[in-house]
Amino acid sequence: MKQIGLITIGQAPRSDVAPIIEQYLKGQAELVQAGVLDGFSAEQVREFFGPQPGEYVLTTRMADGSAAVISRERIVSVLQRKMDAMEAAGITTILLACTGVFPGLHTARAHLIEPDRIIPPVVHAMLGGRRLGLIGPLPEQEESMRDKFAASAGSIPFAAASPYTGTESDFRAAAERLRGAADVIVLDCMGYVEQHRQWAASAGVPAVLSNALMGKLIAEMV
């Protein structure tokens, strides 16, 4: 059976994200998972990977389900080593399980799939003139997420609700803030699940999961 590498910036296995991808694969391929933070304690993650002022902030999931806030700049070398190891093991398709922007990642021969290069143009193609709204995990990610989807005309409304610590009321409140300003909401983090999508759609605005989009696209490549 074909193998697809799934690399999370948190800890593997991702029992939240993997099933969403797997439902579209329909048994045609096996996910092989690895995590940038595998083997690190929560204290070590804060010490080694915690963001400093001016760094690109990300959030992810630890093995126990708790959230970790980390710096892109501090994890990128570990992430590249994880990709190199997967490729050395013979995996020819690698999916990065993060919608953040990671300039400079590379493989020798394997096909690297980076959601940040795929989701914005797909979303713009879907919009058809409708207004985009974004829900992301952290308030401090607002500027970077708006920049990533900047091809949309005008300012893009944003609201924060974490897939790891957010409650139903957090998601409903985020959706309510976007109501009237957005015609389609994208939940821009690979950690969001169907329950989050349903809560986000509670204000009557269609909501889209980034990881479901990636699952559908990857399934077509198997």
Side-chain angles (χ1 to χ4, degrees):
M1 180 183 294
K2 182 180 177 66
Q3 292 184 322
I4 294 175
L6 181 71
I7 299 184
T8 172
I9 61 169
Q11 292 183 331
R14 286 297 297 264
S15 58
D16 53 345
V17 175
I20 295 174
I21 306 295
E22 288 169 338
Q23 72 174 332
Y24 295 106
L25 293 176
K26 298 178 180 178
Q28 299 177 79
E30 173 192 5
L31 287 183
V32 178
Q33 300 187 52
V36 168
L37 303 183
D38 288 351
F40 291 99
S41 67
E43 183 178 348
Q44 289 172 324
V45 168
R46 287 190 293 270
E47 178 182 355
F48 300 144
F49 305 116
Q52 299 299 309
E55 293 181 336
Y56 187 104
V57 177
L58 298 161
T59 187
T60 188
R61 184 180 187 270
M62 300 287 280
D64 63 2
S66 62
V69 178
I70 56 178
S71 158
R72 175 185 67 187
E73 289 79 0
R74 292 169 183 268
I75 68 163
V76 68
S77 62
V78 183
L79 173 57
Q80 183 63 58
R81 289 199 297 272
K82 294 286 183 175
M83 290 167 42
D84 293 344
M86 275 198 172
E87 189 168 16
I91 293 176
T92 58
T93 301
I94 299 172
L95 169 62
L96 176 60
C98 179
T99 59
V101 178
F102 286 86
L105 293 180
H106 60 275
T107 57
R109 293 172 303 279
H111 181 201
L112 174 61
I113 303 172
E114 299 178 75
D116 80 279
R117 297 179 182 272
I118 297 171
I119 293 171
V122 169
V123 166
H124 292 314
M126 291 168 48
L127 286 174
R130 292 177 292 175
R131 298 169 299 170
L132 173 64
L134 297 172
I135 291 179
L138 302 172
E140 53 264 47
Q141 293 177 306
E142 179 174 357
E143 183 177 351
S144 64
M145 287 192 177
R146 280 179 165 164
D147 287 346
K148 185 169 61 173
F149 288 89
S152 290
S155 178
I156 304 173
F158 173 90
S162 171
Y164 310 119
T165 61
T167 64
E168 178 177 354
S169 61
D170 292 332
F171 279 87
R172 290 183 180 276
E176 189 61 32
R177 285 196 293 274
L178 299 181
R179 189 164 66 91
D183 303 309
V184 178
I185 295 171
V186 171
L187 286 83
D188 193 40
C189 175
M190 292 290 278
Y192 291 120
V193 298
E194 175 60 21
Q195 181 64 79
H196 300 138
R197 191 198 67 78
Q198 292 179 16
W199 290 339
S202 64
V205 181
V208 178
L209 286 175
S210 292
N211 51 27
L213 280 179
M214 294 307 303
K216 292 173 185 177
L217 292 170
I218 291 168
E220 295 301 317
M221 300 168 57
V222 175

